[in-house]
Amino acid sequence: KLYEVKQFKKGLKTCDQILKKVANHGETLAVKGMFLAHLDRKEEAYEMIKRGIDISPASSISWHVYGIVCRFDENYAEAAKCYEEALKADSENATILRELAQLYTQLRQYQKAVDVRTRILKINPDTPQYWLGLAVAHQLTGRNDLALKVISTHEHIVLDESSPFKANNSNYRCDVSELLMYKNWVMELTGDYQMALDNLKEIRPRITDITAWKEQKAKLLLKLDRKEAAASAYQELIERNPDSNTYISGYLSCNGLDIGRAEDRDAVLEIVRGLQQQFPTSSALKFLPLTFCDGDDFVKEADKLAKYALRKGIPSLFTSMKTLYEDKTKGETLGRLVEGYASQLRDTRRFDNSSEDEPSSVSTWCTFYLAQHADYYGNHERALQLMETAIGASPDTVDLYMVKARILKHAGDVSGARDVMDFGRQKDLNDRFINTKTVKYMLHNNEVDEAEKNMVLFVRDDASHKVQEIVETQTIWYMRERGHAFRRLGDIGRALKHFHQVLDSFRTFHNDQYDFHTYSIRKFTARAYVDILEWEDRVFEHPMYVDSAVSAIECYVELHDRKAAGAPFEPIAVDEPKKPLTRNGTSKSGQHNLSAGVGETKPAAVDADPNGAAFVNAASHLDSALAFVEVLEKSVGSQAGTHVTAFEVHLRMKKYFLALKSINQLRAIEADHPALVPMVVRISAALDADASFAAPMKAALKAQLVKAFGEAPSIAATVADHDALLPFALAGARGLVRLGGKEKVAQAKQMAMQAAAERFGDSRTLENLVAARDLLAGIGVSESERSAFAAEARKVFPLATCF
């Protein structure tokens, strides 16, 4: 009872009173451990619970409590084992069964969830969330027929207007609507589209989500090949939302057309133009023809869209068009088209075939577009000239400064980009977006403190500690950029601190789904719930997670390498913990207390390690890195970079078979990856140097390498074979540096010094040249050599200040 109302301290006192009378009461010891766990006395809590289990090994309460604490610590696999033990003593405990079903779903052990939910339903067959939970579990295992059977058997409990369920539910109509729409979706998944359509018509009077009903109707009609009726249904949907690409695509499919088929394009264009006349404000309909038209048709459609956007003063026109630039011809055509507009406006202040003068702002937006066009093709000087013209015509338009700053960033002038972005911010201090962009550009320029001052401007005024508020609100872009800034500054501890904050936020996203296993079923939002589970399965694929994980791994590898080289990163002193505050007290740093339970307090979750001491002082940096490698291999194993990163950790840990696995997987993804041959050479060298590794296994590994890559793959030969590609030279140089030895390091230095050579052509990107700069800094070069490299790099990027 005290646990349920979060009276943890009172619960602890009650347990102590019982234990004074019965010192070895196992269940009370376990419950005491649970209270200790919620009062942040974890080590003592687990010890107490295990003592309780040793005394009462057959007690369901002791095992249940152990499971609760493991679940609280996000150790779901161990928690499930505890719940299984608890059920051996109390097989019909609905609470334990329900929580175990949640754990199985969290662990994606769907068949076990089905088995447990079947047991729950036998105990409580009239409780809606139990049979709906079983139906969803069946669906997650792919047994849609069984899911439909469960719903059909028990739905009368909810649908019967005279049932107690309605009397006790103020949200009855919405719950019924959600249940019926979910059932119809399951019917569709069984493949019986006619049954689903008949059912959809039958349930229409009880549906509150009309849009979802109409979407389902259109989809089912199309699947039944009733194209005329489906076209009418999609037409109705387009009238509701003419900017939905899904509706437009569905409407075209009803006419037997596919944008991807060249022979259909004329017919598609005719239909889209008809829709454009019906819905002239639809941006989606204006843009769609540009994705498949060529030649004169493309010019005609682009002309309509561009003139509309320029007259309206839509700053995002180029951003919308940017995807079209992947087709070189279309990109060049768009540039010529807008250049023509600019010329016409200069000469006549009108577009061709226009009888009225255009406002001066149209010319400004033309110039604005052309600046971004020039920037896309790397002509930064012309882009900046055009931006100066646009700013001169409209000096108070914030968007112009944002784009000018972006051009300077692309040109390599990081500090100039920061200054321009901040100047634009001063134009509108109430604009949260440009403030955010300014903070980001300050971090790019390694101005950590100045960025923080601007970041807290938009944090809520009543936040007791504004910097901590940024972390608690999971502002992951800021934490990530701050981590990169500290890494560039050489502060690995703080860099790791911020990368871990990003990674912890994503882990929180993943763990937060646990509460929805019950909530969504109780609220009958089964359709949204299944979508959540699918999203959660992909959460660690997010680019920000991948980038932060790779960066953290690289930091840990650097810490390991420095330690191995005899020049470790200095351990960071850990600050003494501050004295706990009273509930109404506030520390000088603005920290405050949070409730530990109803009527109880504990110190707020304040960052006790702002410098990342725990990460720098970790016993094994490679073990820390390996934890993230395993997540990346599971979630983004299809990306080449994952296996390059994994190789670096596995090789240093002397896990040669795993390192070989990384090589083989990289080869399967990209057989000509720049890092592949250097990885092969390095693992061969590591095997030769490791006398402790068993000879038979060493021979087996060597045989596999020889079979795949030949007797003696050479980094120098690979670089020479790809003489015009800078990534191969950089990968080769890195490989030589890691192999070690004066001769190899000298070769690597020579490769990196030539990074700006003309033979590398378009592969001399700013990112690659900065990578060459950093590689040279790691090797160690003289000031004259650094200046020589910078001079050559500035021939490629004349405005750059980063060399």
Side-chain angles (χ1 to χ4, degrees):
K1 184 85 173 184
L2 291 172
Y3 174 76
E4 290 175 358
V5 296
K6 298 184 179 181
Q7 293 280 356
F8 304 135
K9 289 183 179 179
K10 287 183 180 180
L12 185 60
K13 289 179 181 178
T14 303
C15 290
D16 285 336
Q17 291 171 359
I18 296 171
L19 291 170
K20 284 179 182 178
K21 299 176 182 178
V22 188
N24 291 323
H25 191 263
E27 292 177 349
T28 303
L29 286 168
V31 172
K32 179 180 178 180
M34 179 175 65
F35 285 123
L36 288 171
H38 284 78
L39 291 170
D40 293 333
R41 294 162 64 179
K42 294 290 180 65
E43 189 173 338
E44 189 180 351
Y46 277 105
E47 184 180 339
M48 193 70 64
I49 293 169
K50 288 175 182 177
R51 275 184 58 199
I53 290 175
D54 289 341
I55 295 169
S56 305
S59 168
S60 67
I61 292 175
S62 297
W63 282 108
H64 187 192
V65 165
Y66 193 9
I68 289 172
V69 175
C70 289
R71 190 190 72 201
F72 180 69
D73 285 342
E74 299 169 1
N75 188 353
Y76 300 112
E78 188 65 26
K81 294 177 183 177
C82 295
Y83 276 85
E84 289 167 356
E85 290 293 330
L87 284 175
K88 291 178 181 178
D90 191 358
S91 61
E92 295 192 355
N93 187 312
T95 300
I96 296 175
L97 286 166
R98 184 181 68 249
E99 293 175 5
L100 181 57
Q102 290 175 250
L103 287 167
Y104 283 145
T105 305
Q106 185 81 7
L107 294 167
R108 298 302 188 263
Q109 297 176 5
Y110 293 134
Q111 188 54 55
K112 288 186 177 180
V114 167
D115 297 339
V116 171
R117 288 195 178 277
T118 301
R119 291 170 63 182
I120 299 172
L121 188 58
K122 289 178 181 177
I123 299 169
N124 293 295
D126 295 332
T127 305
Q129 54 261 41
Y130 292 160
W131 51 260
L132 183 56
L134 177 58
V136 172
H138 277 308
Q139 182 194 351
L140 294 172
T141 61
R143 293 302 305 273
N144 298 303
D145 55 332
L146 294 179
L148 181 59
K149 182 179 179 180
V150 170
I151 299 172
S152 300
T153 301
H154 296 89
E155 65 182 351
H156 66 275
I157 297 170
V158 172
L159 300 182
D160 188 351
E161 300 252 353
S162 61
S163 70
F165 179 80
K166 179 181 179 181
N168 300 322
N169 188 351
S170 60
N171 203 36
Y172 178 73
R173 288 186 66 247
C174 290
D175 288 351
V176 167
S177 175
E178 285 292 331
L179 174 62
L180 292 173
M181 287 300 297
Y182 175 65
K183 178 184 176 182
N184 189 265
W185 180 37
V186 174
M187 285 182 180
E188 178 196 351
L189 294 176
T190 65
D192 193 338
Y193 304 133
Q194 186 59 55
M195 177 179 67
L197 183 61
D198 294 340
N199 172 260
L200 193 68
K201 294 175 181 177
E202 180 184 334
I203 65 177
R204 172 63 183 84
R206 305 191 73 173
I207 300 301
T208 57
D209 189 349
I210 304 303
T211 299
W213 186 90
K214 289 178 179 291
E215 289 173 347
Q216 183 71 350
K217 177 186 174 184
K219 185 166 58 171
L220 289 171
L221 286 168
L222 184 57
K223 287 185 174 182
L224 287 166
D225 205 31
R226 294 172 55 182
K227 292 182 178 178
E228 187 175 342
S232 178
Y234 275 112
Q235 173 79 23
E236 189 176 346
L237 285 167
I238 293 172
E239 289 172 2
R240 294 172 73 91
N241 180 9
D243 280 305
S244 170
N245 286 315
T246 301
Y247 298 165
I248 297 168
S249 178
Y251 183 77
L252 292 172
S253 297
C254 296
N255 290 276
L257 301 174
D258 183 354
I259 292 175
R261 286 200 302 263
E263 60 269 24
D264 288 351
R265 289 178 182 174
D266 289 342
V268 170
L269 182 59
E270 183 180 351
I271 289 175
V272 171
R273 283 175 174 169
L275 291 172
Q276 286 175 345
Q277 292 179 356
Q278 295 180 60
F279 310 104
T281 61
S282 169
S283 298
L285 287 169
K286 289 185 178 72
F287 181 77
L288 182 62
L290 301 183
T291 62
F292 62 86
C293 285
D294 294 309
D296 292 341
D297 285 333
F298 177 81
V299 173
K300 185 175 181 180
E301 295 300 322
D303 179 68
K304 286 194 296 185
L305 175 56
K307 285 180 178 176
Y308 171 83
L310 293 169
R311 284 169 170 151
K312 287 285 185 180
I314 299 174
S316 60
L317 174 61
F318 181 83
T319 304
S320 301
M321 297 288 204
K322 194 173 179 180
T323 56
L324 302 173
Y325 277 66
E326 294 174 8
D327 183 325
K328 184 179 179 181
T329 301
K330 289 184 177 181
E332 292 172 350
T333 300
L334 288 168
R336 288 195 300 271
L337 190 65
V338 181
E339 285 278 12
Y341 297 158
S343 177
Q344 294 162 20
L345 292 168
R346 279 195 303 269
D347 295 342
T348 65
R349 295 189 61 187
R350 298 178 183 181
F351 291 126
D352 280 351
N353 303 321
S354 176
S355 59
E356 297 181 3
D357 289 351
E358 300 292 341
S360 58
S361 61
V362 176
S363 180
T364 301
W365 291 118
C366 275
T367 306
F368 181 65
Y369 183 96
L370 290 171
Q372 294 172 86
H373 175 84
D375 176 51
Y376 181 88
Y377 287 108
N379 192 347
H380 303 122
E381 288 149 312
R382 171 164 166 72
L384 288 171
Q385 291 171 359
L386 290 165
M387 284 310 307
E388 290 299 334
T389 302
I391 289 171
S394 183
D396 294 324
T397 303
V398 173
D399 298 272
L400 304 183
Y401 298 98
M402 292 172 63
V403 169
K404 182 181 177 183
R406 188 189 308 146
I407 294 168
L408 286 168
K409 181 186 74 170
H410 294 164
D413 186 357
V414 180
S415 59
R418 174 256 187 242
D419 292 340
V420 170
M421 189 67 79
D422 191 41
F423 186 82
R425 181 183 70 86
Q426 301 291 338
K427 295 286 184 179
D428 187 355
L429 296 175
N430 293 319
D431 189 326
R432 184 189 295 264
F433 180 71
I434 193 170
N435 185 75
T436 296
K437 297 294 287 186
T438 303
V439 169
K440 192 172 182 179
Y441 276 55
M442 286 176 173
L443 290 172
H444 288 171
N445 201 39
N446 301 335
E447 299 178 42
V448 178
D449 293 336
E450 191 67 23
E452 184 178 293
K453 290 177 185 176
N454 282 274
M455 186 65 187
V456 299
L457 292 174
F458 284 90
V459 175
R460 61 190 178 91
D461 292 334
D462 61 342
S464 297
H465 192 288
K466 292 195 172 187
V467 175
Q468 188 67 17
E469 179 77 4
I470 295 169
V471 177
E472 291 175 359
T473 54
Q474 298 172 324
T475 312
I476 55 177
W477 69 266
Y478 175 72
M479 295 182 279
R480 170 176 167 264
E481 293 292 348
R482 193 173 166 91
H484 283 303
F486 276 121
R487 189 180 177 196
R488 288 190 293 269
L489 291 168
D491 192 337
I492 301 178
R494 292 191 186 188
L496 277 170
K497 179 70 182 180
H498 292 299
F499 291 138
H500 271 271
Q501 286 173 341
V502 175
L503 302 172
D504 288 345
S505 293
F506 277 94
R507 194 174 72 246
T508 300
F509 299 161
H510 186 261
N511 290 329
D512 280 349
Q513 68 179 291
Y514 184 86
D515 293 330
F516 286 94
H517 300 321
T518 296
Y519 177 83
S520 296
I521 301 301
R522 182 163 52 84
K523 291 293 185 180
F524 287 85
T525 54
R527 292 178 299 151
Y529 172 60
V530 174
D531 287 342
I532 288 173
L533 295 182
E534 292 176 353
W535 181 84
E536 290 285 4
D537 288 339
R538 302 188 303 271
V539 69
F540 295 122
E541 299 174 16
H542 194 285
M544 281 201 179
Y545 180 87
V546 175
D547 176 78
S548 298
V550 170
S551 298
I553 292 167
E554 290 172 350
C555 286
Y556 280 123
V557 168
E558 182 179 349
L559 288 171
H560 169 82
D561 288 351
R562 290 177 65 162
K563 187 175 181 179
F569 192 84
E570 289 299 322
I572 298 173
V574 181
D575 294 337
E576 291 293 323
K578 294 183 175 63
K579 182 180 179 181
L581 308 171
T582 62
R583 180 169 179 79
N584 295 322
T586 305
S587 71
K588 291 180 180 179
S589 59
Q591 314 296 3
H592 64 287
N593 282 346
L594 297 175
S595 175
V598 178
E600 301 172 359
T601 61
K602 67 177 180 179
V606 175
D607 191 352
D609 182 19
N611 298 323
F615 309 118
V616 172
N617 301 339
S620 172
H621 296 122
L622 292 182
D623 285 342
S624 299
L626 184 62
F628 295 122
V629 166
E630 289 170 348
V631 176
L632 292 177
E633 287 178 326
K634 182 179 178 180
S635 56
V636 287
S638 60
Q639 296 181 13
T642 296
H643 305 294
V644 176
T645 303
F647 173 85
E648 297 295 339
V649 177
H650 293 322
L651 187 65
R652 286 167 172 82
M653 297 183 81
K654 298 186 178 180
K655 295 184 176 183
Y656 300 118
F657 282 99
L658 290 177
L660 177 61
K661 180 182 176 183
S662 297
I663 290 173
N664 288 333
Q665 289 182 322
L666 176 61
R667 186 177 181 224
I669 294 168
E670 188 176 345
D672 199 27
H673 191 279
L676 191 58
V677 169
M679 288 163 63
V680 173
V681 173
R682 286 174 61 201
I683 193 174
S684 297
L687 287 168
D688 291 339
D690 191 351
S692 64
F693 192 61
M697 290 191 289
K698 184 183 293 189
L701 281 167
K702 286 268 192 177
Q704 291 191 49
L705 290 169
V706 169
K707 182 178 179 181
F709 299 98
E711 282 292 341
S714 164
I715 292 176
T718 301
V719 173
D721 290 342
H722 301 84
D723 189 52
L725 296 173
L726 181 53
F728 280 87
L730 292 175
R734 292 190 193 100
L736 290 168
V737 169
R738 286 162 184 163
L739 284 168
K742 288 185 179 180
E743 183 180 343
K744 290 183 175 62
V745 171
Q747 290 176 7
K749 181 177 176 180
Q750 184 180 9
M751 289 179 182
M753 285 294 294
Q754 296 175 2
E758 288 187 14
R759 70 174 183 274
F760 291 123
D762 291 342
S763 66
R764 296 175 297 172
T765 64
L766 183 64
E767 181 182 7
N768 284 337
L769 291 177
V770 168
R773 177 205 66 186
D774 294 341
L775 183 59
L776 289 169
I779 293 172
V781 293
S782 66
E783 181 59 29
S784 61
E785 288 172 324
R786 189 201 65 77
S787 298
F789 173 82
E792 291 300 313
R794 278 194 286 270
K795 290 180 182 178
V796 185
F797 290 92
L799 303 174
T801 60
C802 56
F803 301 117

